[in-house]
Amino acid sequence: MGKPYVSDFEKFIDQYKIEHPEVVIEQRRGWSSFWEADVKPGDRENAKGSLAPDDQYGFQNKLHG
């Protein structure tokens, strides 16, 4: 079996990340700021009052039941 296909763009990005490791560090920092947020104990309870009610089209809010 031969080598898997790698597009020119993928080769370029891989080489760019090798030459510019700070880009990868910034990506990780940005990712964590959006996806690894600290949730305070009272935040979930405070948010329940601001959620929209069930619209009867199948888009129920999981926190309401």
Side-chain angles (χ1 to χ4, degrees):
M1 193 176 242
K3 294 187 333 184
Y5 173 75
V6 179
S7 70
D8 290 340
F9 181 76
E10 189 173 357
K11 290 177 191 175
F12 168 78
I13 291 296
D14 290 343
Q15 186 62 36
Y16 185 84
K17 290 189 320 188
I18 290 169
E19 294 171 3
H20 302 279
E22 70 277 3
V23 171
V24 176
I25 293 167
E26 280 297 308
Q27 284 178 325
R28 288 187 184 137
R29 189 176 69 80
W31 186 90
S32 66
S33 69
F34 284 106
W35 298 106
E36 295 177 5
D38 291 333
V39 178
K40 296 178 185 92
D43 286 349
R44 184 173 296 271
E45 291 302 316
N46 290 340
K48 282 185 179 180
S50 64
L51 297 173
D54 184 1
D55 64 0
Q56 303 300 316
Y57 289 99
F59 298 106
Q60 304 182 336
N61 191 307
K62 300 293 183 199
L63 295 176
H64 280 181

